[in-house]
Structures are given as C-alpha cells and as structure tokens.
Amino acid sequence: MGIEFRNVSKHFGGASVVDDLSLEIRDGEFVVLLGPSGCGKTTTLRMLAGLETVSSGDIFIDSERVNDVPTQHRDLAMVFQSYALYPHMTIAENIGYPLRVRKFDKAQRVERVNRVAAMLEIESLLERKPRQLSGGERQRVALARAIVREPRAYLMDEPLSNLDARLRVQMRGELKRLQHQLGTTTIYVTHDQAEAMTLASLVAVMRKGRLQQFDTPMNIYNCPANRFVAEFVGSPSMNFIEGERTTIGIRPEHIQIFSEPRDGAIAASVYVTELMGNETFVFLSFGTNRLIARAPADFRAEVESKVWLQLAKDKMHYFDPKSGESLTQRHKV
C-alpha cells in the first residue's frame, strides 16, 4: 500500500509544526521519521492517521486522497508509546478487541488471536491481565493488537521508548523480523537514531517541521544532505572544523591517533578518554577545535598528553558555513 504526503503543512495558531512536507512511501517499506523533539514527526503520523487535520496539502493512501476520510475508515493500525491496554480484560481479549469491534465471529477471533500470539511468542500470557505482565510483554501485546487487524499499514509512535535499553535492542530485532514477515507498510516515529538506522529501509530526517533528507540509512550516514543531518545521525556525532570558506566534517572513526609525529599528521592534545568496553572515545584539542576519535579498547593516553592525528581525506565532508548544505559529492548506494 503506497502512501504520499504532497506539500502537507500543519499550523497550530501561528506556529508552523509541519512545513510543506512531500514524501512518497512505497508498498511494503519500513520508513522511519527521525528527528529531535518538536520537529513535527508525531504530528505527521497523526495527520496520516486522521487524528489531526491537514492545514494545507494532500495525503494519499493507495492513490486515494484521505484528508477528509475519518480515522476509522483509513484502515491503519497505530501502536503508541503508552501500551493503552484495557486493565480489566485478559490479554486474549485485549488482542481480539479490534476484531470484536469489527463484528468478527468468535471462531475467527480466536484463530487470529492464537496465530498472532504465536508469532510474538506470547501464547502463555493469553489468560493473564495486563498488570501481571512486564513492560516488554505489554509492548508485545500492543503490537499483537495492531497486527491482528491485518491493516493496510502500521503507524508506530515511539513504541519502545518506555522499555529499558536491553529490551529496546531485543524488540528492535523483533520488529524488524515481524515487518519482514508481514510485508506491511510501516511508518515508525523515533528520536533515537540507533532505532532508525537498524529498522528502516528508508529514513526521513526532520527538523523544525521540514524534511531534511529522505534516503537509505547508509546514505543518510555516509552522504548527509546538510550539517544538521551529519550532526544528528551518528554516535558520537560528526566532528566539525570551521575553515575560512567551508566547514569540514569528519566522523570519529575516520581519525587515527599516533603517539609519535608522522608526515601530514596534526599535533593535538588529549582532553579526556572514555572507555566504552569494546572501544575508547578520545576527546582531543587542537587550537580552538575539539574533536572526538574512536580508538581501540586498549588505547591509553594521559590527559593533556601530546598525540598526532591523521584525518582520512577521502572521508571528509564539506558544508557551506552559512546554509549548512553539503558541498560533497559522494556515490550513493
């Protein structure tokens, strides 16, 4: 099922929350709307769901303009940050509730609930109540309730943000597997770039209501359209060195550190080091610039000790210092 935003804007009073958004999502794609708080990504999702009206522009689902189509007739399933489970119902009743509303008979409801529960490995929870479940189990139930409907598309608004770090990583894998298995168009909102990079077939990076770049995760990372995208995507963030006519960007993994001088290397001093387990982040100073480099886990250097840096020239990015737009031409994949 294809979805298209065509010059869509949303205003609340005098404030522009989404500004002239054009975006085309093909059938079966897993698209992540990525950006900081307040960038308009959740409002975009809510306009698609029919929970917010469109100020201007058009939204199409399967080539049908849906601006005035009520939410219940768009056939989209939403998964929210809060699990929104009914506390008085069993897990089976929670999952089957959308089918009951749509007048499915009991046999059909039971068959679908059991099938989806098996898919998400929660068959043993069906007779329990939500209060008896962990956060990860509740999230699986919320996903099951969306999947059981077999909608035209899934809309997910930061569904993993209430889980701890270990569970988030586990659920990311489950979501990716499920989407591949179901093949249903999915639009997923997050501010977490790790989620975006691991889940998405395409990422739409937003800032202050405007689309900055819509591309594959690899191209978003390797060929950022502007300084904002380069800085927002990547952990640690891209380093920037202000030049006279251009701003140079380089990622931490493209800086080599040496303890002795080398031809073409830049002298710098160690500001601080952070051991991350499998690697070390080295914070460096040279002149007025501060850089971060990735080093092996066994890297050792005293604070304020002198080191030399080799920057990979073929990995440098160049940005217009005024507009922030990329001046670098790279091959995309």
Side-chain angles (χ1 to χ4, degrees):
M1 183 204 68
I3 293 170
E4 184 182 0
F5 294 85
R6 194 177 295 173
N7 306 111
V8 171
S9 296
K10 176 63 179 178
H11 308 287
F12 289 107
S16 176
V17 180
V18 176
D19 187 8
D20 197 30
L21 174 67
S22 290
L23 195 63
E24 191 169 349
I25 299 165
R26 292 175 298 187
D27 183 39
E29 286 182 330
F30 195 132
V31 172
V32 172
L33 305 183
L34 174 68
S37 297
C39 72
K41 55 189 186 294
T42 292
T43 301
T44 298
L45 199 73
R46 288 175 62 84
M47 285 191 291
L48 175 57
L51 300 174
E52 297 285 354
T53 58
V54 174
S55 299
S56 62
D58 298 297
I59 298 176
F60 295 87
I61 299 176
D62 277 342
S63 302
E64 176 195 1
R65 183 180 179 274
V66 297
N67 291 43
D68 304 314
V69 175
T71 300
Q72 63 270 27
H73 295 147
R74 297 191 187 192
D75 194 18
L76 306 171
M78 285 199 74
V79 181
F80 296 97
Q81 181 177 345
S82 61
Y83 313 126
L85 303 179
Y86 298 107
H88 62 286
M89 292 183 182
T90 65
I91 298 310
E93 290 167 340
N94 264 283
I95 296 171
Y97 184 74
L99 304 179
R100 198 174 84 184
V101 170
R102 287 164 180 78
K103 309 297 185 187
F104 281 70
D105 64 45
K106 186 175 181 180
Q108 287 180 303
R109 295 203 305 268
V110 170
E111 188 277 325
R112 280 210 197 181
V113 167
N114 288 338
R115 176 159 45 88
V116 172
M119 189 185 298
L120 286 159
E121 299 179 358
I122 54 174
E123 309 104 301
S124 62
L125 308 179
L126 292 177
E127 297 309 313
R128 297 187 191 179
K129 297 287 181 67
R131 66 177 179 275
Q132 298 172 291
L133 272 53
S134 68
E137 290 169 338
R138 291 181 193 182
Q139 188 59 75
R140 286 174 185 264
V141 174
L143 286 169
R145 189 174 56 189
I147 291 167
V148 80
R149 283 184 49 194
E150 299 181 3
R152 294 198 288 181
Y154 298 111
L155 311 183
M156 301 190 181
D157 190 3
E158 308 226 30
L160 308 184
S161 59
N162 287 337
L163 303 180
D164 62 39
R166 182 186 63 82
L167 272 175
R168 278 203 305 274
V169 172
Q170 180 185 337
M171 286 303 298
R172 282 206 305 260
E174 292 296 324
L175 277 173
K176 192 166 188 174
R177 180 186 66 83
L178 272 171
Q179 202 274 339
H180 176 75
Q181 187 176 342
L182 296 167
T184 305
T185 306
T186 302
I187 303 176
Y188 186 104
V189 162
T190 185
H191 64 275
D192 185 331
Q193 45 130 347
E195 284 186 11
M197 299 299 282
T198 55
L199 286 173
S201 52
L202 290 167
V203 178
V205 183
M206 298 181 69
R207 180 193 186 206
K208 296 180 179 178
R210 293 194 68 87
L211 180 66
Q212 304 295 303
Q213 188 170 356
F214 185 47
D215 215 327
T216 64
M218 186 170 287
N219 283 335
I220 292 281
Y221 189 81
N222 292 325
C223 310
N226 55 45
R227 177 168 173 164
F228 172 79
V229 175
E231 196 166 11
F232 191 77
V233 176
S235 181
S237 179
M238 183 180 284
N239 296 290
F240 297 98
I241 303 168
E242 302 299 338
E244 289 183 6
R245 294 177 184 176
T246 188
T247 298
I248 299 170
I250 189 158
R251 295 209 178 272
E253 59 267 31
H254 298 141
I255 300 175
Q256 282 187 288
I257 307 174
F258 303 100
S259 57
E260 301 291 337
R262 292 204 174 195
D263 288 343
I266 303 166
S269 63
V270 175
Y271 183 77
V272 73
T273 62
E274 291 182 355
L275 177 61
M276 304 303 292
N278 64 330
E279 62 182 346
T280 299
F281 294 163
V282 187
F283 295 76
L284 302 147
S285 299
F286 77 95
T288 59
N289 296 287
R290 184 75 55 81
L291 303 179
I292 305 175
R294 292 181 187 270
D298 60 358
F299 177 87
R300 297 290 181 271
E302 296 295 324
V303 172
E304 295 186 0
S305 62
K306 197 170 184 179
V307 293
W308 283 262
L309 311 179
Q310 195 99 51
L311 278 58
K313 292 182 179 178
D314 62 331
K315 299 295 185 180
M316 288 182 177
H317 297 260
Y318 301 92
F319 302 95
D320 185 292
K322 291 184 178 179
S323 68
E325 293 301 306
S326 174
L327 305 173
T328 309
Q329 297 296 319
R330 292 191 187 277
H331 176 66
K332 293 189 173 188
V333 294

